[in-house]
Amino acid sequence: MSNLLPIDISAIPESQREAVLAVLRENNSLKQETTGLQTKTSELEVLVKRLEHLIAELKNATHGKRSEKLSEDERQLAFEDLEVAVAEVETQQAEQTSSEARPRKAARRNRGNLPADLPRVERVVEPQSLSCPCGCGEMHRIGEDRTERLDVIPAQLRVIVTVRPKYACRSCAEGITQAPAPAHLIEGGLPTEGAIAHVLVSKFSDHLPLYRQSQILARSGVDIHRSTLADWVGTAAFHLSPVVDRLAEHLKKSGKLFMDETTAPVLDPGRGRTKTGYLWALARDDRGWGGDDPPGVVFTYAPGRAGQNAEQILRGFDGTLQLDGYAGYNRLTRPSRKGGAPITVAYCWAHARRKLKEVFDRDGSEIAAEGLRRIAEFYRIESEIRGMGSSQRLSARRTRTAPLIAEFGEWLQNQRCRISSKSRLGEKLTYIHRQWSGLQTFLHDGRVEIDSNAVENLIRTIALTRKNALFAGHDEGGHAWGRIASLIATAKVNDVEPFAYLKATLEAIASGHPANRIDDLLPWNFQP
């Protein structure tokens, strides 16, 4: 009582003492509530500052100068971790804010994006009692509220038991009849075609090495060694190779393709360490100009980066090839080219821009900045005409882009005269100068893109598999890697679910799909 009394209670007449005490109690309660609100306000200020910091980090990862120095995968990882932190802060803020002060907002989730074909498990939650509080009887149902949440059940393993009854006649001994055993990709083996497809997709799409898949299976009580899984992958790669070969034939009939190469580390048993192999990507993507041919990519493994590998892969192709500035491709443009006529090359403006960006980020060069501003104008026009027909794109480029390219060429020569070719910037300008003819190819063909980003996006999955698997165990493993990755990447770029496609394709092959109908097995012809 004494802490409620800032005055001498004995000096107050007894008739008024109770009223004064009530006022003092109310005043003390208000002080305690004020103190609580001040504490909560301070906590919220700390949360807001942390949230502002995280949002600034997100903006910097998205738009800041450092974002270009991160790979796409590193940026995605940064986004994920920052978004997790933001969600944590928002949840903490919601918990610390009373429902009276601010109603809890609905979670920012894809509430309307639960596919209709997903199985639904209904759980009806009934009240504890249906008796009317006034005692007039049992209540009647007048409606309902429904909410849907996504549930996940870990991968379910099952055993397919094939039973083939035998039949015989009781009256004679003419023999026994029985249905023939269904065809399997691995005769007498353990896996179904669906199990093999799952291993392929897990390794080459979800980037799970076989030893990790073995560990995951073991957690479900199924002990399958990594070497057994490798046998499944090798068998599938062999049976799928004709499909990949046919895919490559289709691509090389096109008038324009992309090409790029990426490292594929391979174990070298003789030296006890890895050597550098390469997966060469040959891709078609005509969606930028509304072409009729479906997109696709074939990865071909080669033990080195020599230009003769590209020459071998491109046998039978005569057209325009869009690529970066690697000198190994130069032999493709010469009359001495083996396997076809000299090809037309289209070089990549994204690579040219990247060279200037490297200098600008390091030195803040105003000359590099000017080059970047000029190239940005080319890209602005390209974004406006993307998806138009090839003739419309060609017309727009000749009218709008060609004068800008000519001005850039004059600017480039002026800068090269002023800057030492041995300087960092001079080297970058010389790089652009050497490719100047190929950088203008897109001005003369509406089918050609301004850069080779399409193929770079397709080979990103190779980089992820390489990062997780570390290396292929042998050159032959590199070949299998390329074949299976080709079908998975082509399926994805055609909006085909890779597991469903591979499962159906392996089942068809096991059942003796005719060789003269192999086109039916190409990813873009898959019908679920």
Side-chain angles (χ1 to χ4, degrees):
M1 178 72 70
S2 61
N3 59 351
L4 298 177
L5 304 178
I7 60 175
D8 184 4
I9 193 67
S10 62
I12 300 175
E14 188 173 348
S15 60
Q16 300 176 6
R17 192 172 298 171
E18 190 61 36
V20 171
L21 286 172
V23 171
L24 292 174
R25 291 191 188 97
E26 183 178 358
N27 183 54
N28 188 66
S29 176
L30 290 172
K31 286 182 178 179
Q32 291 177 349
E33 184 176 345
T34 300
T35 302
L37 289 174
Q38 288 174 341
T39 301
K40 187 172 292 186
T41 299
S42 299
E43 292 173 350
L44 289 176
E45 287 176 351
V46 173
L47 283 174
V48 168
K49 288 181 180 179
R50 184 182 174 197
L51 192 58
E52 289 174 346
H53 171 72
L54 291 170
I55 291 173
E57 289 290 327
L58 274 173
K59 289 181 178 178
N60 183 61
T62 307
H63 306 294
K65 292 181 180 180
R66 291 182 58 84
S67 65
E68 283 211 8
K69 298 180 182 178
L70 299 176
S71 69
E72 177 66 20
D73 305 320
E74 290 168 335
R75 287 200 297 273
Q76 291 300 328
L77 183 61
F79 295 157
E80 289 175 9
D81 288 344
L82 286 170
E83 286 164 349
V84 166
V86 169
E88 179 186 356
V89 173
E90 289 180 340
T91 303
Q92 182 180 356
Q93 188 175 14
E95 290 296 328
Q96 292 186 358
T97 304
S98 65
S99 57
E100 293 81 6
R102 186 186 69 181
R104 182 176 297 181
K105 63 181 180 180
R108 293 182 286 108
R109 303 291 184 265
N110 294 327
R111 300 292 299 177
N113 196 28
L114 295 177
D117 58 349
L118 283 181
R120 259 68 175 174
V121 178
E122 289 196 2
R123 295 176 179 173
V124 180
V125 183
E126 296 283 5
Q128 291 184 349
S129 174
L130 296 179
S131 299
C132 182
C134 66
C136 54
E138 186 172 307
M139 294 182 175
H140 297 280
R141 184 169 178 168
I142 60 172
E144 65 183 15
D145 289 329
R146 282 178 171 261
T147 58
E148 292 191 347
R149 298 183 302 155
L150 180 65
D151 190 26
V152 175
I153 301 174
Q156 208 171 46
L157 305 178
R158 64 180 184 178
V159 178
I160 303 297
V161 181
T162 302
V163 180
R164 296 186 296 131
K166 296 180 179 180
Y167 295 90
C169 178
R170 292 182 181 272
S171 302
C172 67
E174 290 299 322
I176 298 174
T177 185
Q178 184 183 36
H184 300 148
L185 194 73
I186 301 178
E187 293 296 340
L190 185 68
T192 65
E193 288 67 40
I196 298 173
H198 176 76
V199 172
L200 297 180
V201 171
S202 296
K203 178 174 173 61
F204 297 105
S205 180
D206 300 331
H207 322 296
L208 275 176
L210 296 182
Y211 77 90
R212 292 182 188 166
Q213 294 189 51
S214 178
Q215 293 170 350
I216 292 170
L217 289 169
R219 291 205 299 266
S220 298
V222 179
D223 186 13
I224 299 179
H225 195 267
R226 180 195 66 249
S227 61
T228 301
L229 299 179
D231 288 340
W232 299 0
V233 173
T235 300
F238 169 78
H239 287 288
L240 292 170
S241 59
V243 183
V244 179
D245 292 342
R246 183 60 177 155
L247 175 59
E249 291 176 14
H250 271 277
L251 296 185
K252 286 191 282 189
K253 291 178 182 177
S254 305
K256 179 189 72 72
L257 293 175
F258 297 91
M259 196 170 200
D260 201 357
E261 74 289 335
T262 186
T263 56
V266 174
L267 188 64
D268 187 354
R271 298 188 300 166
R273 58 179 186 265
T274 60
K275 62 180 180 180
T276 302
Y278 285 85
L279 282 170
W280 297 73
L282 186 64
R284 176 177 67 198
D285 191 347
D286 294 341
R287 291 174 294 180
W289 56 276
D292 295 328
D293 293 328
V297 60
V298 170
F299 297 102
T300 303
Y301 174 80
R305 201 188 181 196
Q308 62 187 22
N309 293 311
E311 192 173 44
Q312 177 64 32
I313 294 167
L314 287 166
R315 280 185 176 272
F317 171 70
D318 293 306
T320 300
L321 191 65
Q322 189 130 26
L323 35 77
D324 59 23
Y326 171 49
Y329 293 114
N330 292 344
R331 64 190 298 143
L332 301 173
T333 65
R334 298 168 186 162
S336 59
R337 178 203 167 192
K338 298 177 181 178
I343 65 170
T344 300
V345 296
Y347 285 131
C348 174
W349 273 100
H351 280 77
R353 179 188 181 279
R354 203 169 297 160
K355 298 296 182 181
L356 295 176
K357 188 68 167 60
E358 290 171 1
V359 175
F360 178 76
D361 286 345
R362 178 177 172 175
D363 306 329
S365 166
E366 181 55 38
I367 295 175
E370 175 63 21
L372 292 173
R373 285 192 289 269
R374 290 174 179 270
I375 294 174
E377 285 298 307
F378 310 159
Y379 272 90
R380 183 181 62 80
I381 296 171
E382 286 300 306
S383 67
E384 294 175 5
I385 63 177
R386 180 164 179 79
M388 294 182 179
S390 60
S391 59
Q392 292 174 289
R393 286 171 27 129
L394 181 59
S395 176
R397 287 169 176 172
R398 286 176 172 172
T399 303
R400 302 171 60 189
T401 310
L404 299 178
I405 294 285
E407 292 175 5
F408 186 95
E410 294 177 3
W411 172 86
L412 178 65
Q413 295 307 321
N414 291 335
Q415 302 307 319
R416 292 187 66 233
C417 292
R418 295 172 50 200
I419 298 171
S420 170
S421 60
K422 296 182 180 180
S423 68
R424 183 177 177 84
L425 178 58
E427 291 175 355
K428 306 303 183 183
L429 295 176
T430 299
Y431 170 89
I432 298 174
H433 171 72
R434 284 200 307 264
Q435 299 185 4
W436 187 245
S437 177
L439 285 171
Q440 297 182 76
T441 303
F442 81 112
L443 296 177
H444 313 298
D445 189 340
R447 302 170 304 165
V448 176
E449 300 297 333
I450 192 174
D451 55 39
S452 57
N453 286 349
V455 69
E456 290 194 359
N457 292 335
L458 289 171
I459 65 175
R460 185 171 294 125
T461 57
I462 297 294
L464 285 172
T465 301
R466 179 179 64 222
K467 184 184 299 183
N468 285 275
L470 302 182
F471 49 78
H474 191 274
D475 283 334
E476 290 303 316
H479 291 298
W481 182 357
R483 285 195 289 268
I484 298 169
S486 299
L487 296 178
I488 289 177
T490 301
K492 286 182 177 180
V493 79
N494 283 280
D495 296 323
V496 172
E497 203 284 304
F499 170 77
Y501 163 72
L502 285 174
K503 178 176 182 290
T505 301
L506 293 174
E507 288 173 344
I509 292 172
S511 300
H513 188 86
N516 60 359
R517 290 177 48 205
I518 196 169
D519 280 7
D520 296 345
L521 301 182
L522 294 174
W524 53 69
N525 289 328
F526 174 66
Q527 297 295 329

